[in-house]
PDB file of all heavy atoms in Angstrom:
ATOM      1  N   ILE A  67      -1.368   2.581   7.209  1.00  0.00           N
ATOM      2  CA  ILE A  67      -2.465   2.391   8.121  1.00  0.00           C
ATOM      3  C   ILE A  67      -2.174   3.093   9.464  1.00  0.00           C
ATOM      4  O   ILE A  67      -2.992   3.867   9.962  1.00  0.00           O
ATOM      5  CB  ILE A  67      -2.611   0.859   8.483  1.00  0.00           C
ATOM      6  CG1 ILE A  67      -3.058   0.162   7.148  1.00  0.00           C
ATOM      7  CG2 ILE A  67      -3.641   0.667   9.568  1.00  0.00           C
ATOM      8  CD1 ILE A  67      -4.380   0.695   6.487  1.00  0.00           C
ATOM      9  N   ASN A  68      -1.020   2.881  10.104  1.00  0.00           N
ATOM     10  CA  ASN A  68      -0.723   3.374  11.445  1.00  0.00           C
ATOM     11  C   ASN A  68      -0.411   4.846  11.453  1.00  0.00           C
ATOM     12  O   ASN A  68      -0.647   5.522  12.520  1.00  0.00           O
ATOM     13  CB  ASN A  68       0.398   2.576  12.104  1.00  0.00           C
ATOM     14  CG  ASN A  68      -0.021   1.152  12.473  1.00  0.00           C
ATOM     15  OD1 ASN A  68      -0.840   0.992  13.326  1.00  0.00           O
ATOM     16  ND2 ASN A  68       0.555   0.194  11.763  1.00  0.00           N
ATOM     17  N   ARG A  69       0.102   5.400  10.400  1.00  0.00           N
ATOM     18  CA  ARG A  69       0.310   6.822  10.354  1.00  0.00           C
ATOM     19  C   ARG A  69      -0.889   7.597   9.811  1.00  0.00           C
ATOM     20  O   ARG A  69      -0.884   8.876   9.831  1.00  0.00           O
ATOM     21  CB  ARG A  69       1.564   7.229   9.480  1.00  0.00           C
ATOM     22  CG  ARG A  69       2.842   6.678  10.092  1.00  0.00           C
ATOM     23  CD  ARG A  69       4.068   7.126   9.231  1.00  0.00           C
ATOM     24  NE  ARG A  69       5.248   6.471   9.765  1.00  0.00           N
ATOM     25  CZ  ARG A  69       5.920   6.950  10.819  1.00  0.00           C
ATOM     26  NH1 ARG A  69       5.553   8.074  11.404  1.00  0.00           N
ATOM     27  NH2 ARG A  69       6.999   6.374  11.291  1.00  0.00           N
ATOM     28  N   GLN A  70      -1.866   6.808   9.230  1.00  0.00           N
ATOM     29  CA  GLN A  70      -3.033   7.478   8.675  1.00  0.00           C
ATOM     30  C   GLN A  70      -2.593   8.466   7.626  1.00  0.00           C
ATOM     31  O   GLN A  70      -3.106   9.626   7.533  1.00  0.00           O
ATOM     32  CB  GLN A  70      -3.932   8.100   9.699  1.00  0.00           C
ATOM     33  CG  GLN A  70      -4.663   7.093  10.516  1.00  0.00           C
ATOM     34  CD  GLN A  70      -5.646   6.273   9.670  1.00  0.00           C
ATOM     35  OE1 GLN A  70      -6.855   6.710   9.450  1.00  0.00           O
ATOM     36  NE2 GLN A  70      -5.303   5.064   9.245  1.00  0.00           N
ATOM     37  N   ALA A  71      -1.571   8.130   6.837  1.00  0.00           N
ATOM     38  CA  ALA A  71      -0.988   8.929   5.801  1.00  0.00           C
ATOM     39  C   ALA A  71      -1.345   8.378   4.464  1.00  0.00           C
ATOM     40  O   ALA A  71      -1.874   7.216   4.358  1.00  0.00           O
ATOM     41  CB  ALA A  71       0.517   9.023   5.903  1.00  0.00           C
ATOM     42  N   THR A  72      -1.317   9.145   3.354  1.00  0.00           N
ATOM     43  CA  THR A  72      -1.507   8.580   2.042  1.00  0.00           C
ATOM     44  C   THR A  72      -0.329   7.690   1.594  1.00  0.00           C
ATOM     45  O   THR A  72       0.725   7.838   2.146  1.00  0.00           O
ATOM     46  CB  THR A  72      -1.709   9.690   1.032  1.00  0.00           C
ATOM     47  OG1 THR A  72      -0.427  10.427   0.908  1.00  0.00           O
ATOM     48  CG2 THR A  72      -2.740  10.727   1.462  1.00  0.00           C
ATOM     49  N   LEU A  73      -0.679   6.827   0.710  1.00  0.00           N
ATOM     50  CA  LEU A  73       0.435   5.977   0.103  1.00  0.00           C
ATOM     51  C   LEU A  73       1.486   6.808  -0.446  1.00  0.00           C
ATOM     52  O   LEU A  73       2.708   6.478  -0.267  1.00  0.00           O
ATOM     53  CB  LEU A  73      -0.184   4.967  -0.926  1.00  0.00           C
ATOM     54  CG  LEU A  73       0.777   4.053  -1.606  1.00  0.00           C
ATOM     55  CD1 LEU A  73       1.546   3.186  -0.665  1.00  0.00           C
ATOM     56  CD2 LEU A  73       0.038   3.243  -2.682  1.00  0.00           C
ATOM     57  N   ALA A  74       1.134   7.794  -1.200  1.00  0.00           N
ATOM     58  CA  ALA A  74       2.186   8.763  -1.803  1.00  0.00           C
ATOM     59  C   ALA A  74       3.059   9.311  -0.748  1.00  0.00           C
ATOM     60  O   ALA A  74       4.314   9.505  -0.887  1.00  0.00           O
ATOM     61  CB  ALA A  74       1.487   9.795  -2.606  1.00  0.00           C
ATOM     62  N   GLU A  75       2.533   9.775   0.442  1.00  0.00           N
ATOM     63  CA  GLU A  75       3.279  10.351   1.470  1.00  0.00           C
ATOM     64  C   GLU A  75       4.272   9.394   2.080  1.00  0.00           C
ATOM     65  O   GLU A  75       5.423   9.748   2.346  1.00  0.00           O
ATOM     66  CB  GLU A  75       2.368  10.954   2.578  1.00  0.00           C
ATOM     67  CG  GLU A  75       1.556  12.229   2.088  1.00  0.00           C
ATOM     68  CD  GLU A  75       0.489  12.570   3.121  1.00  0.00           C
ATOM     69  OE1 GLU A  75       0.081  11.651   3.917  1.00  0.00           O
ATOM     70  OE2 GLU A  75       0.010  13.657   3.026  1.00  0.00           O
ATOM     71  N   VAL A  76       3.859   8.219   2.281  1.00  0.00           N
ATOM     72  CA  VAL A  76       4.692   7.177   2.866  1.00  0.00           C
ATOM     73  C   VAL A  76       5.841   6.812   1.931  1.00  0.00           C
ATOM     74  O   VAL A  76       6.985   6.686   2.308  1.00  0.00           O
ATOM     75  CB  VAL A  76       3.874   5.957   3.253  1.00  0.00           C
ATOM     76  CG1 VAL A  76       4.826   4.733   3.685  1.00  0.00           C
ATOM     77  CG2 VAL A  76       2.924   6.234   4.472  1.00  0.00           C
ATOM     78  N   LEU A  77       5.490   6.633   0.674  1.00  0.00           N
ATOM     79  CA  LEU A  77       6.499   6.314  -0.287  1.00  0.00           C
ATOM     80  C   LEU A  77       7.549   7.415  -0.432  1.00  0.00           C
ATOM     81  O   LEU A  77       8.788   7.153  -0.486  1.00  0.00           O
ATOM     82  CB  LEU A  77       5.914   5.988  -1.694  1.00  0.00           C
ATOM     83  CG  LEU A  77       4.990   4.801  -1.776  1.00  0.00           C
ATOM     84  CD1 LEU A  77       4.378   4.673  -3.164  1.00  0.00           C
ATOM     85  CD2 LEU A  77       5.757   3.466  -1.441  1.00  0.00           C
ATOM     86  N   SER A  78       7.083   8.639  -0.474  1.00  0.00           N
ATOM     87  CA  SER A  78       8.004   9.739  -0.591  1.00  0.00           C
ATOM     88  C   SER A  78       8.947   9.907   0.552  1.00  0.00           C
ATOM     89  O   SER A  78      10.127  10.171   0.422  1.00  0.00           O
ATOM     90  CB  SER A  78       7.197  11.033  -0.798  1.00  0.00           C
ATOM     91  OG  SER A  78       8.098  12.186  -0.823  1.00  0.00           O
ATOM     92  N   SER A  79       8.446   9.695   1.777  1.00  0.00           N
ATOM     93  CA  SER A  79       9.249   9.969   2.988  1.00  0.00           C
ATOM     94  C   SER A  79      10.116   8.764   3.462  1.00  0.00           C
ATOM     95  O   SER A  79      11.115   8.903   4.015  1.00  0.00           O
ATOM     96  CB  SER A  79       8.414  10.409   4.111  1.00  0.00           C
ATOM     97  OG  SER A  79       7.417   9.363   4.487  1.00  0.00           O
ATOM     98  N   ARG A  80       9.563   7.547   3.165  1.00  0.00           N
ATOM     99  CA  ARG A  80      10.216   6.367   3.783  1.00  0.00           C
ATOM    100  C   ARG A  80      10.664   5.322   2.712  1.00  0.00           C
ATOM    101  O   ARG A  80      11.525   4.514   2.997  1.00  0.00           O
ATOM    102  CB  ARG A  80       9.307   5.754   4.776  1.00  0.00           C
ATOM    103  CG  ARG A  80       9.112   6.586   5.988  1.00  0.00           C
ATOM    104  CD  ARG A  80       8.162   6.072   7.048  1.00  0.00           C
ATOM    105  NE  ARG A  80       8.206   6.898   8.195  1.00  0.00           N
ATOM    106  CZ  ARG A  80       9.043   6.817   9.197  1.00  0.00           C
ATOM    107  NH1 ARG A  80       9.921   5.870   9.249  1.00  0.00           N
ATOM    108  NH2 ARG A  80       8.978   7.649  10.187  1.00  0.00           N
ATOM    109  N   TYR A  81      10.042   5.308   1.564  1.00  0.00           N
ATOM    110  CA  TYR A  81      10.361   4.252   0.531  1.00  0.00           C
ATOM    111  C   TYR A  81      10.464   4.928  -0.794  1.00  0.00           C
ATOM    112  O   TYR A  81       9.736   4.545  -1.790  1.00  0.00           O
ATOM    113  CB  TYR A  81       9.318   3.138   0.484  1.00  0.00           C
ATOM    114  CG  TYR A  81       9.119   2.404   1.797  1.00  0.00           C
ATOM    115  CD1 TYR A  81       8.202   2.813   2.804  1.00  0.00           C
ATOM    116  CD2 TYR A  81       9.791   1.212   1.992  1.00  0.00           C
ATOM    117  CE1 TYR A  81       8.034   2.163   3.925  1.00  0.00           C
ATOM    118  CE2 TYR A  81       9.589   0.491   3.176  1.00  0.00           C
ATOM    119  CZ  TYR A  81       8.759   0.921   4.168  1.00  0.00           C
ATOM    120  OH  TYR A  81       8.581   0.250   5.293  1.00  0.00           O
ATOM    121  N   PRO A  82      11.395   5.879  -0.949  1.00  0.00           N
ATOM    122  CA  PRO A  82      11.439   6.633  -2.259  1.00  0.00           C
ATOM    123  C   PRO A  82      11.717   5.818  -3.438  1.00  0.00           C
ATOM    124  O   PRO A  82      11.271   6.087  -4.548  1.00  0.00           O
ATOM    125  CB  PRO A  82      12.528   7.677  -1.981  1.00  0.00           C
ATOM    126  CG  PRO A  82      13.338   7.134  -0.842  1.00  0.00           C
ATOM    127  CD  PRO A  82      12.367   6.389   0.027  1.00  0.00           C
ATOM    128  N   TRP A  83      12.468   4.642  -3.218  1.00  0.00           N
ATOM    129  CA  TRP A  83      12.741   3.844  -4.363  1.00  0.00           C
ATOM    130  C   TRP A  83      11.604   3.025  -4.892  1.00  0.00           C
ATOM    131  O   TRP A  83      11.576   2.456  -5.939  1.00  0.00           O
ATOM    132  CB  TRP A  83      13.866   2.798  -3.967  1.00  0.00           C
ATOM    133  CG  TRP A  83      13.469   1.740  -2.971  1.00  0.00           C
ATOM    134  CD1 TRP A  83      13.528   1.858  -1.629  1.00  0.00           C
ATOM    135  CD2 TRP A  83      12.987   0.420  -3.238  1.00  0.00           C
ATOM    136  NE1 TRP A  83      13.105   0.642  -1.053  1.00  0.00           N
ATOM    137  CE2 TRP A  83      12.767  -0.184  -2.040  1.00  0.00           C
ATOM    138  CE3 TRP A  83      12.659  -0.232  -4.370  1.00  0.00           C
ATOM    139  CZ2 TRP A  83      12.258  -1.459  -1.865  1.00  0.00           C
ATOM    140  CZ3 TRP A  83      12.187  -1.565  -4.275  1.00  0.00           C
ATOM    141  CH2 TRP A  83      11.953  -2.147  -3.039  1.00  0.00           C
ATOM    142  N   CYS A  84      10.451   3.102  -4.088  1.00  0.00           N
ATOM    143  CA  CYS A  84       9.218   2.470  -4.486  1.00  0.00           C
ATOM    144  C   CYS A  84       8.180   3.319  -5.178  1.00  0.00           C
ATOM    145  O   CYS A  84       7.042   2.903  -5.492  1.00  0.00           O
ATOM    146  CB  CYS A  84       8.576   1.643  -3.357  1.00  0.00           C
ATOM    147  SG  CYS A  84       9.614   0.360  -2.616  1.00  0.00           S
ATOM    148  N   GLU A  85       8.485   4.583  -5.279  1.00  0.00           N
ATOM    149  CA  GLU A  85       7.504   5.536  -5.777  1.00  0.00           C
ATOM    150  C   GLU A  85       6.963   5.213  -7.167  1.00  0.00           C
ATOM    151  O   GLU A  85       5.854   5.450  -7.426  1.00  0.00           O
ATOM    152  CB  GLU A  85       8.091   6.976  -5.744  1.00  0.00           C
ATOM    153  CG  GLU A  85       8.236   7.566  -4.373  1.00  0.00           C
ATOM    154  CD  GLU A  85       8.667   9.016  -4.412  1.00  0.00           C
ATOM    155  OE1 GLU A  85       9.883   9.287  -4.555  1.00  0.00           O
ATOM    156  OE2 GLU A  85       7.787   9.945  -4.231  1.00  0.00           O
ATOM    157  N   ALA A  86       7.827   4.572  -8.007  1.00  0.00           N
ATOM    158  CA  ALA A  86       7.362   4.263  -9.320  1.00  0.00           C
ATOM    159  C   ALA A  86       6.271   3.152  -9.290  1.00  0.00           C
ATOM    160  O   ALA A  86       5.547   3.024 -10.350  1.00  0.00           O
ATOM    161  CB  ALA A  86       8.593   3.806 -10.199  1.00  0.00           C
ATOM    162  N   HIS A  87       6.148   2.447  -8.207  1.00  0.00           N
ATOM    163  CA  HIS A  87       5.136   1.390  -8.080  1.00  0.00           C
ATOM    164  C   HIS A  87       3.878   1.856  -7.359  1.00  0.00           C
ATOM    165  O   HIS A  87       3.107   1.012  -6.964  1.00  0.00           O
ATOM    166  CB  HIS A  87       5.723   0.279  -7.333  1.00  0.00           C
ATOM    167  CG  HIS A  87       6.978  -0.295  -7.939  1.00  0.00           C
ATOM    168  ND1 HIS A  87       6.992  -1.032  -9.105  1.00  0.00           N
ATOM    169  CD2 HIS A  87       8.317  -0.316  -7.522  1.00  0.00           C
ATOM    170  CE1 HIS A  87       8.181  -1.416  -9.422  1.00  0.00           C
ATOM    171  NE2 HIS A  87       8.990  -0.979  -8.493  1.00  0.00           N
ATOM    172  N   HIS A  88       3.672   3.122  -7.271  1.00  0.00           N
ATOM    173  CA  HIS A  88       2.528   3.666  -6.494  1.00  0.00           C
ATOM    174  C   HIS A  88       1.195   3.046  -6.843  1.00  0.00           C
ATOM    175  O   HIS A  88       0.412   2.471  -6.019  1.00  0.00           O
ATOM    176  CB  HIS A  88       2.433   5.190  -6.607  1.00  0.00           C
ATOM    177  CG  HIS A  88       1.256   5.773  -5.934  1.00  0.00           C
ATOM    178  ND1 HIS A  88      -0.021   5.825  -6.465  1.00  0.00           N
ATOM    179  CD2 HIS A  88       1.108   6.386  -4.717  1.00  0.00           C
ATOM    180  CE1 HIS A  88      -0.910   6.377  -5.697  1.00  0.00           C
ATOM    181  NE2 HIS A  88      -0.241   6.732  -4.532  1.00  0.00           N
ATOM    182  N   ASP A  89       0.843   3.085  -8.167  1.00  0.00           N
ATOM    183  CA  ASP A  89      -0.410   2.554  -8.644  1.00  0.00           C
ATOM    184  C   ASP A  89      -0.522   1.072  -8.435  1.00  0.00           C
ATOM    185  O   ASP A  89      -1.678   0.560  -8.009  1.00  0.00           O
ATOM    186  CB  ASP A  89      -0.613   2.931 -10.112  1.00  0.00           C
ATOM    187  CG  ASP A  89      -0.722   4.461 -10.298  1.00  0.00           C
ATOM    188  OD1 ASP A  89      -0.948   5.107  -9.278  1.00  0.00           O
ATOM    189  OD2 ASP A  89      -0.665   4.843 -11.471  1.00  0.00           O
ATOM    190  N   ASP A  90       0.571   0.309  -8.712  1.00  0.00           N
ATOM    191  CA  ASP A  90       0.488  -1.120  -8.517  1.00  0.00           C
ATOM    192  C   ASP A  90       0.390  -1.508  -7.063  1.00  0.00           C
ATOM    193  O   ASP A  90      -0.293  -2.462  -6.680  1.00  0.00           O
ATOM    194  CB  ASP A  90       1.723  -1.769  -9.089  1.00  0.00           C
ATOM    195  CG  ASP A  90       1.637  -1.914 -10.612  1.00  0.00           C
ATOM    196  OD1 ASP A  90       0.546  -1.855 -11.163  1.00  0.00           O
ATOM    197  OD2 ASP A  90       2.749  -1.978 -11.310  1.00  0.00           O
ATOM    198  N   LEU A  91       1.057  -0.718  -6.183  1.00  0.00           N
ATOM    199  CA  LEU A  91       0.901  -1.019  -4.706  1.00  0.00           C
ATOM    200  C   LEU A  91      -0.537  -0.757  -4.197  1.00  0.00           C
ATOM    201  O   LEU A  91      -1.100  -1.465  -3.406  1.00  0.00           O
ATOM    202  CB  LEU A  91       1.910  -0.140  -3.945  1.00  0.00           C
ATOM    203  CG  LEU A  91       3.384  -0.607  -4.004  1.00  0.00           C
ATOM    204  CD1 LEU A  91       4.264   0.454  -3.483  1.00  0.00           C
ATOM    205  CD2 LEU A  91       3.566  -1.870  -3.170  1.00  0.00           C
ATOM    206  N   LYS A  92      -1.163   0.243  -4.787  1.00  0.00           N
ATOM    207  CA  LYS A  92      -2.508   0.557  -4.426  1.00  0.00           C
ATOM    208  C   LYS A  92      -3.452  -0.565  -4.821  1.00  0.00           C
ATOM    209  O   LYS A  92      -4.272  -1.015  -4.131  1.00  0.00           O
ATOM    210  CB  LYS A  92      -2.951   1.857  -5.101  1.00  0.00           C
ATOM    211  CG  LYS A  92      -4.178   2.511  -4.481  1.00  0.00           C
ATOM    212  CD  LYS A  92      -4.415   3.925  -4.914  1.00  0.00           C
ATOM    213  CE  LYS A  92      -5.605   4.591  -4.244  1.00  0.00           C
ATOM    214  NZ  LYS A  92      -5.741   5.967  -4.636  1.00  0.00           N
ATOM    215  N   ARG A  93      -3.206  -1.129  -6.078  1.00  0.00           N
ATOM    216  CA  ARG A  93      -3.916  -2.320  -6.459  1.00  0.00           C
ATOM    217  C   ARG A  93      -3.723  -3.492  -5.592  1.00  0.00           C
ATOM    218  O   ARG A  93      -4.617  -4.244  -5.238  1.00  0.00           O
ATOM    219  CB  ARG A  93      -3.573  -2.674  -7.900  1.00  0.00           C
ATOM    220  CG  ARG A  93      -4.123  -1.708  -8.995  1.00  0.00           C
ATOM    221  CD  ARG A  93      -3.500  -2.039 -10.351  1.00  0.00           C
ATOM    222  NE  ARG A  93      -3.808  -3.434 -10.694  1.00  0.00           N
ATOM    223  CZ  ARG A  93      -2.878  -4.230 -11.224  1.00  0.00           C
ATOM    224  NH1 ARG A  93      -1.654  -3.835 -11.576  1.00  0.00           N
ATOM    225  NH2 ARG A  93      -3.184  -5.538 -11.539  1.00  0.00           N
ATOM    226  N   LEU A  94      -2.394  -3.684  -5.213  1.00  0.00           N
ATOM    227  CA  LEU A  94      -2.096  -4.828  -4.315  1.00  0.00           C
ATOM    228  C   LEU A  94      -2.832  -4.691  -2.973  1.00  0.00           C
ATOM    229  O   LEU A  94      -3.325  -5.696  -2.535  1.00  0.00           O
ATOM    230  CB  LEU A  94      -0.591  -4.779  -4.163  1.00  0.00           C
ATOM    231  CG  LEU A  94       0.037  -5.856  -3.158  1.00  0.00           C
ATOM    232  CD1 LEU A  94      -0.282  -7.256  -3.582  1.00  0.00           C
ATOM    233  CD2 LEU A  94       1.510  -5.666  -2.979  1.00  0.00           C
ATOM    234  N   PHE A  95      -2.716  -3.486  -2.348  1.00  0.00           N
ATOM    235  CA  PHE A  95      -3.361  -3.356  -1.071  1.00  0.00           C
ATOM    236  C   PHE A  95      -4.854  -3.476  -1.132  1.00  0.00           C
ATOM    237  O   PHE A  95      -5.429  -3.941  -0.135  1.00  0.00           O
ATOM    238  CB  PHE A  95      -2.888  -2.061  -0.455  1.00  0.00           C
ATOM    239  CG  PHE A  95      -1.444  -1.893  -0.195  1.00  0.00           C
ATOM    240  CD1 PHE A  95      -0.839  -0.699  -0.245  1.00  0.00           C
ATOM    241  CD2 PHE A  95      -0.659  -3.012   0.066  1.00  0.00           C
ATOM    242  CE1 PHE A  95       0.604  -0.600   0.010  1.00  0.00           C
ATOM    243  CE2 PHE A  95       0.697  -2.937   0.330  1.00  0.00           C
ATOM    244  CZ  PHE A  95       1.319  -1.742   0.223  1.00  0.00           C
ATOM    245  N   ALA A  96      -5.503  -3.129  -2.282  1.00  0.00           N
ATOM    246  CA  ALA A  96      -6.898  -3.305  -2.421  1.00  0.00           C
ATOM    247  C   ALA A  96      -7.263  -4.807  -2.451  1.00  0.00           C
ATOM    248  O   ALA A  96      -8.220  -5.269  -1.877  1.00  0.00           O
ATOM    249  CB  ALA A  96      -7.395  -2.591  -3.667  1.00  0.00           C
ATOM    250  N   ALA A  97      -6.477  -5.515  -3.235  1.00  0.00           N
ATOM    251  CA  ALA A  97      -6.638  -6.983  -3.367  1.00  0.00           C
ATOM    252  C   ALA A  97      -6.383  -7.669  -2.036  1.00  0.00           C
ATOM    253  O   ALA A  97      -7.160  -8.610  -1.680  1.00  0.00           O
ATOM    254  CB  ALA A  97      -5.730  -7.551  -4.406  1.00  0.00           C
ATOM    255  N   TYR A  98      -5.321  -7.212  -1.298  1.00  0.00           N
ATOM    256  CA  TYR A  98      -5.051  -7.804  -0.060  1.00  0.00           C
ATOM    257  C   TYR A  98      -6.182  -7.652   0.958  1.00  0.00           C
ATOM    258  O   TYR A  98      -6.629  -8.534   1.688  1.00  0.00           O
ATOM    259  CB  TYR A  98      -3.767  -7.150   0.501  1.00  0.00           C
ATOM    260  CG  TYR A  98      -3.341  -7.433   1.886  1.00  0.00           C
ATOM    261  CD1 TYR A  98      -3.016  -8.770   2.268  1.00  0.00           C
ATOM    262  CD2 TYR A  98      -3.221  -6.447   2.800  1.00  0.00           C
ATOM    263  CE1 TYR A  98      -2.576  -9.088   3.549  1.00  0.00           C
ATOM    264  CE2 TYR A  98      -2.706  -6.719   4.148  1.00  0.00           C
ATOM    265  CZ  TYR A  98      -2.442  -8.075   4.454  1.00  0.00           C
ATOM    266  OH  TYR A  98      -1.981  -8.346   5.778  1.00  0.00           O
ATOM    267  N   THR A  99      -6.763  -6.375   0.951  1.00  0.00           N
ATOM    268  CA  THR A  99      -7.897  -6.087   1.845  1.00  0.00           C
ATOM    269  C   THR A  99      -9.121  -6.909   1.496  1.00  0.00           C
ATOM    270  O   THR A  99      -9.756  -7.478   2.412  1.00  0.00           O
ATOM    271  CB  THR A  99      -8.249  -4.620   1.736  1.00  0.00           C
ATOM    272  OG1 THR A  99      -7.129  -3.792   2.127  1.00  0.00           O
ATOM    273  CG2 THR A  99      -9.469  -4.243   2.607  1.00  0.00           C
ATOM    274  N   GLU A 100      -9.352  -7.057   0.207  1.00  0.00           N
ATOM    275  CA  GLU A 100     -10.468  -7.917  -0.199  1.00  0.00           C
ATOM    276  C   GLU A 100     -10.305  -9.330   0.154  1.00  0.00           C
ATOM    277  O   GLU A 100     -11.287 -10.028   0.604  1.00  0.00           O
ATOM    278  CB  GLU A 100     -10.695  -7.709  -1.739  1.00  0.00           C
ATOM    279  CG  GLU A 100     -12.027  -8.194  -2.279  1.00  0.00           C
ATOM    280  CD  GLU A 100     -13.204  -7.330  -1.694  1.00  0.00           C
ATOM    281  OE1 GLU A 100     -13.054  -6.108  -1.639  1.00  0.00           O
ATOM    282  OE2 GLU A 100     -14.192  -7.933  -1.238  1.00  0.00           O
ATOM    283  N   ARG A 101      -9.120  -9.832   0.028  1.00  0.00           N
ATOM    284  CA  ARG A 101      -8.827 -11.268   0.343  1.00  0.00           C
ATOM    285  C   ARG A 101      -8.946 -11.547   1.819  1.00  0.00           C
ATOM    286  O   ARG A 101      -9.518 -12.574   2.162  1.00  0.00           O
ATOM    287  CB  ARG A 101      -7.454 -11.674  -0.162  1.00  0.00           C
ATOM    288  CG  ARG A 101      -7.276 -13.143  -0.497  1.00  0.00           C
ATOM    289  CD  ARG A 101      -5.980 -13.465  -1.195  1.00  0.00           C
ATOM    290  NE  ARG A 101      -5.924 -14.810  -1.642  1.00  0.00           N
ATOM    291  CZ  ARG A 101      -6.091 -15.105  -2.974  1.00  0.00           C
ATOM    292  NH1 ARG A 101      -6.218 -14.139  -3.919  1.00  0.00           N
ATOM    293  NH2 ARG A 101      -6.015 -16.379  -3.334  1.00  0.00           N
ATOM    294  N   LYS A 102      -8.502 -10.584   2.651  1.00  0.00           N
ATOM    295  CA  LYS A 102      -8.624 -10.702   4.057  1.00  0.00           C
ATOM    296  C   LYS A 102     -10.181 -10.791   4.462  1.00  0.00           C
ATOM    297  O   LYS A 102     -10.509 -11.636   5.331  1.00  0.00           O
ATOM    298  CB  LYS A 102      -7.945  -9.555   4.771  1.00  0.00           C
ATOM    299  CG  LYS A 102      -6.451  -9.677   4.859  1.00  0.00           C
ATOM    300  CD  LYS A 102      -5.844  -8.605   5.663  1.00  0.00           C
ATOM    301  CE  LYS A 102      -6.098  -7.201   5.092  1.00  0.00           C
ATOM    302  NZ  LYS A 102      -5.487  -6.170   5.881  1.00  0.00           N
ATOM    303  N   LEU A 103     -10.846  -9.885   3.944  1.00  0.00           N
ATOM    304  CA  LEU A 103     -12.320  -9.819   4.259  1.00  0.00           C
ATOM    305  C   LEU A 103     -13.039 -11.114   3.854  1.00  0.00           C
ATOM    306  O   LEU A 103     -13.831 -11.674   4.554  1.00  0.00           O
ATOM    307  CB  LEU A 103     -12.989  -8.645   3.629  1.00  0.00           C
ATOM    308  CG  LEU A 103     -12.606  -7.290   4.257  1.00  0.00           C
ATOM    309  CD1 LEU A 103     -13.096  -6.105   3.385  1.00  0.00           C
ATOM    310  CD2 LEU A 103     -13.046  -7.098   5.659  1.00  0.00           C
ATOM    311  N   ASP A 104     -12.706 -11.614   2.667  1.00  0.00           N
ATOM    312  CA  ASP A 104     -13.250 -12.832   2.066  1.00  0.00           C
ATOM    313  C   ASP A 104     -12.827 -14.024   2.940  1.00  0.00           C
ATOM    314  O   ASP A 104     -13.691 -14.955   3.068  1.00  0.00           O
ATOM    315  CB  ASP A 104     -12.770 -13.088   0.675  1.00  0.00           C
ATOM    316  CG  ASP A 104     -13.531 -14.208  -0.006  1.00  0.00           C
ATOM    317  OD1 ASP A 104     -14.812 -14.198   0.089  1.00  0.00           O
ATOM    318  OD2 ASP A 104     -12.817 -15.053  -0.580  1.00  0.00           O
ATOM    319  N   ARG A 105     -11.632 -14.028   3.614  1.00  0.00           N
ATOM    320  CA  ARG A 105     -11.201 -15.188   4.363  1.00  0.00           C
ATOM    321  C   ARG A 105     -11.471 -14.971   5.890  1.00  0.00           C
ATOM    322  O   ARG A 105     -11.070 -15.777   6.707  1.00  0.00           O
ATOM    323  CB  ARG A 105      -9.646 -15.366   4.165  1.00  0.00           C
ATOM    324  CG  ARG A 105      -9.335 -16.311   3.112  1.00  0.00           C
ATOM    325  CD  ARG A 105      -9.683 -15.823   1.704  1.00  0.00           C
ATOM    326  NE  ARG A 105      -9.187 -16.769   0.638  1.00  0.00           N
ATOM    327  CZ  ARG A 105      -9.560 -16.645  -0.606  1.00  0.00           C
ATOM    328  NH1 ARG A 105     -10.319 -15.660  -0.976  1.00  0.00           N
ATOM    329  NH2 ARG A 105      -9.112 -17.452  -1.509  1.00  0.00           N
ATOM    330  N   ALA A 106     -12.227 -13.916   6.194  1.00  0.00           N
ATOM    331  CA  ALA A 106     -12.510 -13.636   7.608  1.00  0.00           C
ATOM    332  C   ALA A 106     -11.186 -13.578   8.414  1.00  0.00           C
ATOM    333  O   ALA A 106     -11.059 -14.165   9.465  1.00  0.00           O
ATOM    334  CB  ALA A 106     -13.412 -14.610   8.241  1.00  0.00           C
TER     335      ALA A 106
END
């Protein structure tokens, strides 16, 4: 969010051990965003 970078860019530069979880993290952040909006 704060770097306005893609998830792939952040994982590659700062969390390389998490790169295998790219797709699941994307799903997680989508669910997190939806839950926040639903809960105001």
Side-chain angles (χ1 to χ4, degrees):
I67 296 300
N68 287 295
R69 294 185 186 279
Q70 289 293 277
T72 66
L73 176 58
E75 289 170 341
V76 168
L77 293 179
S78 174
S79 62
R80 294 181 173 270
Y81 299 87
W83 68 271
C84 297
E85 285 187 280
H87 301 291
H88 176 278
D89 293 346
D90 284 337
L91 283 167
K92 197 167 186 178
R93 288 174 53 222
L94 173 63
F95 297 150
Y98 174 59
T99 300
E100 197 62 44
R101 206 171 190 106
K102 284 185 294 181
L103 291 171
D104 188 50
R105 268 64 176 174

